[in-house]
C-alpha cells in the first residue's frame, strides 16, 4: 500500500553518518524488533531509561554529545544492523499474505477509538487499545494491507498517583506532539490535511496525523486546531471522557472523520473492520455517500454489509456505547437528510430491541450494517449470539483474541525462541504449529534462567516504583533504604493487573483476610502478590477497591507480601507479565469477553490461576495453570464470591505453592518448569495476534475484500 504523504518533522542535530535515525524513530517497528530496541540504549543508556521514546531521546542530545557518540564503534555497528533490518522488513517480499494466494481489491480499514502500540504513544487505556495495537503489528508482520484510523488524544488517558490513604489521584498531562512519533499528513493542496464534520449549526475540522507501525499506517484525527471554535477544540483531548455528549462528539469525529480522511487520501478500502461500537457512526457516513451516489437505502445497506466486519469486545453493559436518543437527535439531522429518510427512521437503526427507543445503541447500528459480527473468544461468541441473534439473523461467530508475541515476550525468552526456531519464529510457528513441540528440547535451566532474569528485572522496577511512591508520602531515608530488601526473587510471585472495573473482583482474594494472610506468610512457602491498575475517574467503586488493597498492602499482616504499583501502563505490564510466576484473574463469569494479560504471562512461561471465563476456557489444559470457581453465572454474588475465594485458597495451599517450592538436588523446580513448557506451548501460536489476524483474514478480510 502506498505510504501516506507526510510533512517533514523538526530538524534535530543528528550527524550525517547517523541520519537514518529519524526513519527509525518515526516508525515503532523498533518496539518488537531487537535490532531496533538495542540501538536506542546504545546511544545513551541513561537517557533511554528516562525517556523510552526515541524522539525524546534524540531531542535531548546536543551537538557536543553527538560528536562523542559518533566516535563510538558500537553505535555504528548497531546503527547499521538496525537500518539493514528495518529496510529488509519494509521491503521484504514473500510475506504470509503474498504466500496465501489471496488478493484484496483494496486495504482493510481498521477503525478503533484507542490504539496501544507503545507507551510513547499514550492513546490507550487498557485491553481494547493494547489489542488494537497488537492487531496492527501482526497485520504488518503478515503483510496484510491495512490502514488504521483513530483519534489523537492530546491529553491521553489519565496518569495515576496513589496518595498515602490509598486514594487514586488522576491527572491529564498535555502531550507535546513534537516529542511523539507522529507526523502531520500532507494535504494535496498544501499544509496539513484537515477534514470537516458537520455539527449543529457549524463545522468541526479534524487535522490528520499519522504514525507508522511497521508496514501499517495509523491515521489519527485531532480537533485541537486553530480552525475550530475554542469550545470544539477539546473534543479529542481525553480518552473516554465522562460527559456523554462530549463522548458522542468524539465518536462522530472518529466515524465520519475516518471515512472522509481516507477519501481525501484516495484510499479505497475493500473491507471495513469496525472494532467496537465507538466507530459505528462511520457506517452512517458510508451509507449517506452510497445513497448520494444513486443507491437506494436497501442497496446501500447491502453494499455496506458486503464490506463490513464488526467486532464486539465486551458483554458488560457499561462497555457498550449507548446514548440517550436526544443526543443523537441533536447531531444526526444532516445524515438523515443525505440518506433521504426522516430523523426518526435513522434513529430507529440504532434501537436494539422494541421498547428501547429512548436509547441510541451504536452496537445495534453496527450489527445492522455488518455481514460478519464476532465476539473475541468462543465463550464470548456464545454471549454475542444470545444477546444479538435477533439482529444478526443467525449465529454469531468468534475470533479469539491474541497477543503480539514479539512485543510481549521477555528479551531472554525471545533469544531462547530465536535460538530454537530462527529469527522469524512467530511466522514460522504460525505456518507450522507442530514445530512448537521443539520447546521440549530446550533444557530446564535455560527456561528457568530466562524467567529468573525477568523476575529480577521486575523486582528492581517494583522497588523503584515503591520508593518513588513512599518518598512522595514522606517516608524517612531509612525507610526508603529498607525498600531494597522488599520483593525477594526466590519467593513465589503472583500478579494481578488490569482495569479496576468492579466485575473483575480485585478484592476477591481478601474475602477471608486471616486465611489469606496465613497462606502468604507461610514460612516454608511464602507468597507475594503485586497489584497494578487504574479505575476510571467516574468509577467510584473501582477506586474503592483500589484503596482497600492499598491499605491492606501497608498493614502489618500483609506488609512485604502485598504490593500496589501506581500508574499502570504498557511498560509496567511488560515487566509484570514477563516476571511473575503466576497470573491471577477472577472476573465474574461470563463478563470477561477474552482477557489478554494471562496470554502475555503464558508466552513467558507464567502459569495462570483463573476462573473459567474468556480465553481461559480455551487455553486451560490442566498442565499450564489452574482453574477455580464455577464458569456459570450466579445471581447470588455473595455465595459465588465465597465459593470462588475458597477454591482459590485451596489451590494456592495444596497445589500452586507445593509445586513451586518442590526442588531437585540442583535447586531447580523441575515440576514447575514442566508446567512452564506447557504454558508456552499452549499459548505461543494459539493465542498470538498472528493467528488472530490470520483468522480474521480467512473469516472476513479475504471473503469480503477479494479482488476476484
Amino acid at each position: 500500500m502506498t505510504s501516506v504523504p507526510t510533512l517533514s518533522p523538526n530538524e534535530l542535530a543528528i550527524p550525517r553518518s547517523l541520519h537514518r535515525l529519524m526513519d527509525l524513530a518515526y516508525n515503532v517497528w523498533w518496539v518488537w524488533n531487537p535490532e531496533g530496541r538495542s540501538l536506542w540504549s546504545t546511544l545513551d543508556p541513561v537517557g533511554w531509561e528516562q525517556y523510552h521514546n526515541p524522539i525524546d531521546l534524540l531531542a535531548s542530545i546536543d551537538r557536543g554529545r553527538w560528536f562523542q557518540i559518533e566516535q563510538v564503534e558500537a553505535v555504528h555497528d548497531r546503527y547499521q544492523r538496525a537500518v539493514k533490518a528495518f529496510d529488509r522488513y519494509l521491503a521484504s517480499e514473500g510475506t504470509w499474505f503474498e504466500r496465501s494466494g489471496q488478493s484484496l481489491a483494496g486495504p482493510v480499514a481498521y477503525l478503533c477509538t484507542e490504539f496501544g502500540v507503545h507507551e510513547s504513544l499514550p492513546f490507550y487505556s487498557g485491553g481494547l487499545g493494547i489489542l488494537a495495537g497488537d492487531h496492527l503489528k501482526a497485520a504488518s508482520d503478515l503483510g496484510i494491507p491495512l490502514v488504521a484510523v483513530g483519534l489523537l488524544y492530546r491529553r491521553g488517558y489519565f496518569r495515576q498517583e496513589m496518595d498515602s490513604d490509598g486514594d487514586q489521584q488522576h491527572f491529564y498531562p498535555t502531550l507535546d506532539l513534537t516529542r511523539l512519533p507522529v507526523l502531520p499528513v500532507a494535504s494535496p493542496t498544501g499544509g496539513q490535511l484537515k477534514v470537516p464534520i458537520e455539527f449543529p449549526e457549524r463545522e468541526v475540522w479534524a487535522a490528520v496525523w499519522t504514525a507508522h507501525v511497521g508496514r501499517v499506517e495509523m491515521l489519527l484525527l485531532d480537533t485541537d486546531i486553530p480552525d475550530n471554535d475554542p469550545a470544539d477544540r477539546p473534543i479529542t483531548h481525553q480518552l473516554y471522557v465522562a460527559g456523554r455528549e462530549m463522548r458522542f462528539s468524539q465518536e462522530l469525529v472518529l466515524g465520519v472523520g475516518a471515512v472522509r480522511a481516507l477519501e481525501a487520501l484516495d484510499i479505497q478500502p475493500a473491507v471495513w473492520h469496525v472494532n467496537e461500537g465507538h466507530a459505528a457512526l462511520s457506517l452512517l457516513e458510508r451509507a449517506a455517500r452510497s445513497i448520494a451516489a444513486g443507491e437506494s437505502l436497501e442497496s446501500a445497506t447491502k453494499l455496506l454489509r458486503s464490506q463490513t466486519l464488526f467486532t464486539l469486545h465486551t458483554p458488560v453493559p457499561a462497555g457498550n456505547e449507548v446514548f440517550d436518543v436526544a443526543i443523537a437527535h441533536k447531531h444526526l439531522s444532516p445524515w438523515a437528510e443525505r440518506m433521504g429518510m426522516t430523523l426518526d427512521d435513522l434513529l430507529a437503526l440504532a434501537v436494539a430491541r422494541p421498547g428501547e427507543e429512548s436509547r441510541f445503541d451504536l452496537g445495534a447500528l453496527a450489527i445492522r450494517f455488518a455481514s460478519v459480527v464476532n465476539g473475541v473468544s468462543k465463550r464470548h461468541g456464545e454471549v454475542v449470539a444470545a444477546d444479538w441473534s435477533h439482529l444478526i439473523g443467525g449465529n454469531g461467530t468468534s475470533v479469539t483474541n491474541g497477543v503480539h508475541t514479539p512485543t510481549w515476550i521477555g528479551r531472554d525468552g525471545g533469544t531462547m525462541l530465536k535460538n530454537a526456531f530462527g529469527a522469524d519464529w512467530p511466522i514460522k510457528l504460525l505456518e507450522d504449529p507442530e514445530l512448537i513441540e521443539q520447546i521440549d528440547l530446550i533444557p530446564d535451566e535455560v527456561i528457568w534462567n530466562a524467567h529468573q532474569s525477568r523476575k529480577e528485572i521486575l523486582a528492581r522496577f517494583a522497588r523503584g516504583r515503591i520508593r518513588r511512591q513512599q518518598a512522595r508520602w514522606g517516608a524517612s531515608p531509612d525507610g526508603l533504604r529498607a525498600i531494597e530488601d522488599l520483593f525477594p526473587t526466590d519467593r513465589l510471585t503472583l500478579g494481578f493487573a488490569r482495569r479496576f472495573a468492579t466485575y473483575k473482583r480485585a478484592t476477591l482474594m481478601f474475602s477471608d483476610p486471616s486465611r489469606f494472610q496465613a497462606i502468604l506468610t507461610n514460612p516454608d512457602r511464602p507468597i507475594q502478590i503485586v497489584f497494578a491498575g487504574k479505575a476510571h475517574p467516574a468509577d467510584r467503586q473501582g477506586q474503592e477497591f483500589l484503596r482497600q488493597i492499598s491499605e491492606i498492602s501497608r498493614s502489618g499482616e500483609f506488609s512485604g507480601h502485598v504490593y500496589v504499583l501506581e500508574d499502570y501502563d504498557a511498560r509496567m505490564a511488560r515487566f509484570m507479565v514477563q516476571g511473575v510466576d503466576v497470573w491471577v484473574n477472577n472476573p465474574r463469569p461470563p463478563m470477561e469477553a477474552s482477557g489478554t494479560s494471562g496470554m502475555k504471562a503464558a508466552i513467558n512461561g507464567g502459569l495462570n490461576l483463573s476462573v473459567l471465563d474468556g480465553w481461559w476456557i480455551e487455553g486451560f489444559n490442566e498442565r499450564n495453570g489452574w482453574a477455580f470457581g464455577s464458569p456459570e453465572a450466579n445471581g447470588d454474588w455473595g455465595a459465588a464470591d465465597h465459593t470462588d475465594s475458597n477454591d482459590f485458597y485451596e489451590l494456592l495451599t495444596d497445589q500452586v505453592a507445593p509445586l513451586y517450592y518442590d526442588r531437585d538436588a540442583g535447586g531447580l523446580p523441575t515440576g514447575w518448569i514442566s508446567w512452564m513448557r506447557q504454558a508456552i506451548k499452549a499459548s505461543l501460536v494459539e493465542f498470538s495476534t498472528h493467528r488472530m489476524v490470520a483468522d480474521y483474514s480467512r473469516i472476513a478480510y479475504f471473503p469480503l475484500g477479494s479482488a476476484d
Side-chain angles (χ1 to χ4, degrees):
M1 188 173 68
T2 302
S3 182
V4 171
T6 57
L7 303 177
S8 298
N10 294 331
E11 291 295 324
L12 299 175
I14 298 173
R16 185 184 300 272
S17 64
L18 301 172
H19 71 282
R20 295 292 305 282
L21 287 174
M22 294 296 287
D23 295 336
L24 296 169
Y26 279 94
N27 191 319
V28 296
W29 163 89
W30 61 266
V31 168
W32 70 95
N33 287 276
E35 298 92 343
R37 288 197 305 262
S38 63
L39 172 62
W40 306 120
S41 59
T42 304
L43 291 177
D44 183 354
V46 176
W48 183 242
E49 280 305 306
Q50 177 182 354
Y51 298 116
H52 294 281
N53 176 346
I55 314 298
D56 259 340
L57 179 73
L58 296 177
S60 72
I61 302 174
D62 60 28
R63 291 184 184 275
R65 177 68 176 140
W66 274 120
F67 177 78
Q68 295 175 327
I69 291 172
E70 200 176 11
Q71 311 310 309
V72 179
E73 183 178 354
V75 168
H76 286 277
D77 180 53
R78 294 199 177 185
Y79 170 74
Q80 292 297 335
R81 289 184 190 177
V83 168
K84 289 178 181 177
F86 179 63
D87 289 343
R88 187 167 56 248
Y89 180 91
L90 293 185
S92 63
E93 298 180 354
T95 63
W96 177 89
F97 172 64
E98 292 172 331
R99 291 195 300 273
S100 72
Q102 300 287 333
S103 61
L104 292 172
V108 176
Y110 184 86
L111 278 52
C112 191
T113 195
E114 55 172 307
F115 289 93
V117 296
H118 187 254
E119 60 269 20
S120 61
L121 285 167
F123 308 139
Y124 64 94
S125 72
L128 176 65
I130 296 296
L131 184 283
D134 281 6
H135 191 115
L136 304 193
K137 296 171 191 173
S140 174
D141 292 342
L142 296 176
I144 303 293
L146 184 147
V147 58
V149 189
L151 299 180
L152 188 147
Y153 302 98
R154 287 182 181 253
R155 302 193 70 183
Y157 196 55
F158 74 93
R159 303 294 301 273
Q160 177 199 58
E161 286 186 352
M162 305 294 295
D163 67 22
S164 58
D165 294 323
D167 292 322
Q168 172 180 281
Q169 307 298 319
H170 35 264
F171 58 98
Y172 292 84
T174 300
L175 302 175
D176 180 354
L177 299 190
T178 66
R179 296 297 186 98
L180 300 182
V182 297
L183 295 169
V185 174
S187 169
T189 58
Q192 185 174 8
L193 177 64
K194 301 164 190 169
V195 294
I197 299 99
E198 294 89 343
F199 273 70
E201 301 180 357
R202 68 196 190 281
E203 281 186 330
V204 173
W205 290 83
V208 186
W209 300 79
T210 185
H212 298 261
V213 185
R215 300 181 177 99
V216 168
E217 298 278 0
M218 179 170 65
L219 304 178
L220 300 168
L221 306 173
D222 171 26
T223 62
D224 191 2
I225 56 176
D227 306 67
N228 289 328
D229 185 274
D232 292 324
R233 292 181 66 164
I235 290 174
T236 59
H237 273 185
Q238 296 180 19
L239 177 58
Y240 296 135
V241 64
R244 296 306 294 164
E245 186 169 349
M246 182 62 93
R247 178 82 73 88
F248 189 89
S249 299
Q250 289 183 337
E251 296 177 359
L252 190 61
V253 170
L254 172 61
V256 176
V259 178
R260 295 182 180 180
L262 293 172
E263 181 189 49
L265 292 168
D266 197 27
I267 296 173
Q268 301 175 26
V271 180
W272 295 77
H273 189 163
V274 178
N275 196 42
E276 263 298 356
H278 306 283
L281 293 174
S282 62
L283 293 155
L284 292 185
E285 175 65 13
R286 289 169 57 206
R289 285 170 178 270
S290 292
I291 291 170
E295 301 283 350
S296 66
L297 175 61
E298 181 180 0
S299 61
T301 300
K302 184 177 180 180
L303 175 63
L304 263 64
R305 286 180 59 84
S306 71
Q307 299 174 333
T308 303
L309 158 68
F310 175 52
T311 300
L312 286 147
H313 281 268
T314 177
V316 179
N320 293 306
E321 284 297 81
V322 179
F323 295 89
D324 188 296
V325 73
I327 295 176
H329 190 281
K330 177 179 176 178
H331 287 82
L332 296 182
S333 292
W335 285 270
E337 293 174 11
R338 291 169 61 202
M339 294 171 70
M341 59 197 312
T342 68
L343 184 54
D344 285 342
D345 286 342
L346 182 149
L347 298 177
L349 295 173
V351 174
R353 294 172 181 80
E356 296 183 3
E357 288 75 12
S358 64
R359 293 158 51 90
F360 189 84
D361 191 318
L362 290 181
L365 176 67
I367 290 171
R368 283 191 167 93
F369 284 101
S371 62
V372 180
V373 177
N374 74 281
V376 290
S377 68
K378 290 180 180 178
R379 174 70 174 272
H380 184 228
E382 295 169 359
V383 173
V384 168
D387 288 349
W388 297 103
S389 60
H390 61 291
L391 293 184
I392 295 173
N395 293 328
T397 187
S398 64
V399 176
T400 300
N401 281 344
V403 300
H404 188 251
T405 49
T407 295
W408 294 103
I409 200 156
R411 293 189 186 185
D412 306 84
T415 299
M416 179 179 75
L417 294 173
K418 180 180 178 181
N419 291 339
F421 303 109
D424 60 343
W425 57 266
I427 306 301
K428 187 176 291 185
L429 288 171
L430 174 69
E431 295 183 328
D432 188 358
E434 292 184 3
L435 286 175
I436 198 69
E437 296 301 325
Q438 294 181 20
I439 294 288
D440 290 339
L441 303 178
I442 300 174
D444 281 1
E445 57 269 21
V446 172
I447 293 176
W448 184 245
N449 290 340
H451 172 66
Q452 284 299 106
S453 173
R454 305 316 297 179
K455 192 173 183 180
E456 289 166 2
I457 290 171
L458 168 62
R460 288 197 296 272
F461 173 82
R463 292 176 195 131
R465 189 57 60 93
I466 293 167
R467 187 179 298 112
R468 186 184 78 179
Q469 293 169 199
Q470 294 196 6
R472 197 176 62 248
W473 300 340
S476 69
D478 285 344
L480 296 178
R481 214 171 351 260
I483 292 171
E484 203 58 35
D485 296 325
L486 297 179
F487 220 93
T489 57
D490 60 349
R491 181 176 292 177
L492 174 59
T493 303
L494 281 55
F496 184 103
R498 53 189 45 85
R499 285 186 305 112
F500 264 62
T502 52
Y503 78 88
K504 294 180 181 288
R505 297 191 296 179
T507 56
L508 179 71
M509 64 189 73
F510 298 102
S511 298
D512 187 338
S514 297
R515 186 177 179 186
F516 191 40
Q517 180 264 330
I519 295 171
L520 296 183
T521 59
N522 182 329
D524 297 321
R525 295 170 179 166
I527 301 172
Q528 59 193 0
I529 181 166
V530 55
F531 286 87
K534 296 176 177 178
H536 190 279
D539 184 358
R540 299 300 181 189
Q541 190 173 358
Q543 292 178 51
E544 175 59 20
F545 280 5
L546 192 56
R547 187 201 64 76
Q548 290 176 20
I549 295 173
S550 181
E551 183 179 17
I552 288 169
S553 72
R554 286 170 287 161
S555 66
E557 298 84 357
F558 290 99
S559 179
H561 291 269
V562 177
Y563 306 97
V564 179
L565 306 183
E566 66 184 9
D567 206 22
Y568 184 51
D569 65 0
R571 180 168 180 250
M572 184 187 293
R574 287 196 300 275
F575 284 118
M576 290 187 64
V577 298
Q578 293 168 11
V580 299
D581 301 303
V582 176
W583 196 260
V584 178
N585 189 32
N586 45 238
R588 194 177 299 285
M591 295 185 179
E592 185 80 291
S594 176
T596 56
S597 294
M599 302 174 189
K600 299 177 182 99
I603 66 171
N604 285 284
L607 307 185
N608 275 260
L609 176 57
S610 174
V611 300
L612 282 170
D613 199 16
W615 82 282
W616 192 230
I617 294 178
E618 301 167 55
F620 176 53
N621 65 15
E622 299 186 353
R623 290 297 306 276
N624 60 345
W626 298 267
F628 66 94
S630 171
E632 303 304 324
N634 185 343
D636 187 343
W637 287 6
D641 291 353
H642 175 77
T643 299
D644 291 356
S645 62
N646 185 67
D647 287 353
F648 175 80
Y649 297 144
E650 289 184 354
L651 281 172
L652 266 186
T653 303
D654 300 337
Q655 297 187 41
V656 182
L659 184 64
Y660 180 82
Y661 283 105
D662 183 18
R663 306 297 168 107
D664 67 9
L668 287 178
T670 54
W672 188 272
I673 296 170
S674 173
W675 283 48
M676 291 176 68
R677 288 181 197 278
Q678 290 294 326
I680 296 169
K681 289 167 61 176
S683 60
L684 202 58
V685 177
E686 287 301 311
F687 296 101
S688 72
T689 42
H690 296 96
R691 186 275 313 155
M692 181 190 80
V693 173
D695 283 353
Y696 274 120
S697 298
R698 298 184 187 104
I699 291 171
Y701 297 169
F702 295 161
L704 298 182
S706 174
D708 297 332

